[in-house]
Amino acid sequence: MSHRPETKGPSPSPEALRDQFPRTREGLGRTVRALMAKADVKALAREQAAEAKEKAVEVKEHAAVNAALVTDRLRDKTARAARVVHDRTPEPVREKAGRAAATTRNHRGAIIAATAALAALVLATRARRQR
């Protein structure tokens, strides 16, 4: 079933049709190219992949900014909590804690060796019980 546009008036002359032909062909060419572009699945997939990659970069940047903000807030709250604990801790307890921390720093190797030996002893005891 063909569809002809209704025309009013006399039919165009052959010369008018010949003059109209290049414009019509150019319009049809644009339409065909547009349809081919829409049907180009690979190109559409590449375009969508590029858009998804851009979106992923944006999300990653947004997450990095949020992580930095959260880290800063956490650092501030931790420092505030440490000041409160320090201010509310009696001086003799602070002195003893300071000495214990210094002793730990000075004997780090011995503490690590003792901890490893204790862990080995616990693991060996467990292994014997399971037999």
Side-chain angles (χ1 to χ4, degrees):
M1 178 196 248
S2 75
H3 175 22
R4 265 192 219 179
E6 293 183 26
T7 57
K8 292 184 179 179
S11 298
S13 67
E15 292 83 28
L17 288 174
R18 276 190 219 103
D19 291 341
Q20 187 180 1
F21 182 74
R23 289 188 303 273
T24 303
R25 185 182 346 176
E26 186 178 316
L28 285 173
R30 281 194 302 266
T31 303
V32 167
R33 284 190 295 277
L35 289 172
M36 287 174 61
K38 285 184 179 182
D40 189 355
V41 176
K42 285 183 182 180
L44 286 174
R46 281 192 297 269
E47 187 177 305
Q48 288 176 349
E51 289 173 6
K53 187 176 181 180
E54 288 175 20
K55 185 71 172 177
V57 168
E58 289 174 14
V59 167
K60 183 179 177 184
E61 290 170 355
H62 185 71
V65 168
N66 283 342
L69 290 174
V70 169
T71 302
D72 289 345
R73 287 181 191 155
L74 185 60
R75 189 177 298 124
D76 291 345
K77 286 185 178 191
T78 304
R80 231 178 288 130
R83 280 193 301 275
V84 168
V85 168
H86 181 271
D87 293 346
R88 292 185 181 176
T89 303
E91 185 62 32
V93 174
R94 277 191 268 160
E95 286 177 14
K96 285 184 182 181
R99 276 185 264 141
T103 301
T104 301
R105 277 191 299 273
N106 293 336
H107 299 94
R108 186 174 294 154
I111 291 171
I112 291 172
T115 303
L118 181 62
L121 180 65
V122 168
L123 291 174
T125 304
R126 271 193 183 169
R128 271 189 248 142
R129 284 184 187 168
Q130 288 179 352
R131 289 184 193 167

